Amino acid sequence: MNVLIIDDDPVACEYAAMELEKVGVSSEFVLSGAEAVEMVKLKYARREVYNLIIVDWKMPEMDGLETTRQIRSIIGDESTIVILTSFYWEDIVEDADKAGVDRFIAKPLEAQNIIHQFEDAFALKEKNAKNKADLEGRRILLAEDMEINAEIIKEILSIRSMEVEHAEDGQIAFDMFQDSEEGYYDAVLMDMRMPNMDGLEATRAIRHLDRNDAKSIPIIALTANAFDEDVQRSLQAGLDAHLSKPVDPDNLFETLEGLVKD
């Protein structure tokens, strides 16, 4: 399990982390809602989603409900989010539900209790899960200057019967997208380091086109650059996800299933 603890009290964070360690669960913690939102954003771009997020309700600047709202705007229904509080919470249940909170737990945190609540919430999410996009027959624009890499990715995508059109650099990818009919492509896989126009430039150029699909089409970075600053640059340029090379097929399929529009 990947667990994130969000609490402005470092002692409470350390206590929660120790409790989780008792049942063999490791965790990370941050001391503010704003920091948590940025961490979740970077993780989600890599498709590394926390299984469980534990949020303190009463925090300065950004409380637990607003933190949850902002996290949900990034990850949707993924992750179980639990509000941890020593206060009476009945008065905010409706607002919490709208924000995307799955459960409430009273402080101090007890490991068995949080795991039980996670299991219940996870089971409910699985029951209500939306169908993932069918990838068969989807048309993918692949921007990749290395021929061998392009052939490998084509082979991977063919496993799920997707159609691939290959652009040898970012400029060609932009031209192919610009010259296509609106809605022609279902997603773009974008290498970052390419001659003539790199992946960031090509993404910016596509996003600035005056057509609806330019704003909404999933554009996924495929790159060996995996530092946080690389992911941040990808997100700022308008990319939806940042996957590391060599490409993991299951991760790529799962990302496409989550981003491609039905």
Side-chain angles (χ1 to χ4, degrees):
M1 287 179 64
N2 294 320
V3 179
L4 177 63
I5 302 163
I6 310 165
D7 197 316
D8 61 302
D9 182 354
V11 174
C13 287
E14 290 169 3
Y15 175 81
M18 286 190 296
E19 276 294 303
L20 290 168
E21 282 180 8
K22 291 179 181 178
V23 290
V25 175
S26 60
S27 59
E28 302 174 82
F29 65 80
V30 292
L31 301 177
S32 73
E35 189 179 356
V37 169
E38 286 305 306
M39 185 176 288
V40 168
K41 192 180 295 181
L42 292 175
K43 284 270 192 181
Y44 190 67
R46 293 190 177 101
R47 301 333 249 188
E48 299 171 1
V49 181
Y50 289 106
N51 304 104
L52 173 63
I53 300 175
I54 303 168
V55 192
D56 184 36
W57 173 19
K58 297 286 189 179
M59 296 187 292
E61 297 179 16
M62 187 187 295
D63 69 11
L65 296 192
E66 181 57 28
T67 300
T68 300
R69 282 190 201 95
Q70 294 198 25
I71 289 174
R72 286 291 183 217
S73 73
I74 298 165
I75 66 172
D77 291 334
E78 296 192 54
S79 300
T80 296
I81 301 182
V82 173
I83 290 285
L84 186 65
T85 181
S86 55
F87 298 92
Y88 181 75
W89 63 71
E90 289 297 326
D91 293 339
I92 65 160
V93 168
E94 186 175 343
D95 288 338
D97 185 60
K98 290 177 181 176
V101 173
D102 293 299
R103 290 286 191 278
F104 285 91
I105 290 184
K107 286 185 176 182
L109 180 146
E110 294 182 3
Q112 292 295 346
N113 189 16
I114 192 73
I115 296 303
H116 176 70
Q117 294 289 346
F118 166 74
E119 289 172 345
D120 284 352
F122 182 77
L124 185 61
K125 282 180 182 293
E126 287 288 288
K127 183 178 179 180
N128 297 331
K130 297 177 181 177
N131 292 328
K132 295 179 180 179
D134 183 4
L135 299 181
E136 184 175 351
R138 300 290 188 172
R139 188 177 289 109
I140 308 299
L141 174 57
L142 170 63
E144 170 62 70
D145 64 309
M146 299 292 290
E147 188 63 36
I148 184 63
N149 289 344
E151 289 303 316
I152 291 170
I153 295 169
K154 286 179 186 177
E155 284 295 319
I156 291 172
L157 296 176
S158 71
I159 294 171
R160 299 289 292 272
S161 302
M162 284 176 269
E163 300 176 13
V164 184
E165 295 188 8
H166 178 211
E168 291 79 7
D169 62 41
Q171 181 64 59
I172 295 172
F174 171 73
D175 292 340
M176 289 173 65
F177 186 88
Q178 185 177 42
D179 294 340
S180 68
E181 295 180 4
E182 191 164 312
Y184 179 77
Y185 294 110
D186 293 292
V188 180
L189 300 181
M190 188 75 75
D191 184 37
M192 290 291 98
R193 292 186 177 181
M194 295 182 289
N196 300 323
M197 181 186 285
D198 67 23
L200 294 179
E201 293 175 302
T203 299
R204 290 190 195 99
I206 289 173
R207 293 299 190 209
H208 280 95
L209 287 172
D210 187 20
R211 46 190 278 183
N212 292 330
D213 61 344
K215 307 297 187 290
S216 62
I217 187 168
I219 305 180
I220 300 163
L222 301 179
T223 177
N225 302 334
F227 293 109
D228 284 353
E229 53 266 32
D230 298 312
V231 180
Q232 287 171 337
R233 280 193 287 269
S234 292
L235 296 174
Q236 289 165 0
L239 285 132
D240 297 286
H242 188 104
L243 304 186
S244 298
K245 290 182 177 178
V247 176
D248 176 73
D250 290 337
N251 195 16
L252 178 57
F253 295 149
E254 186 176 336
T255 301
L256 287 167
E257 286 172 340
L259 292 176
V260 168
K261 308 295 188 297
D262 285 327

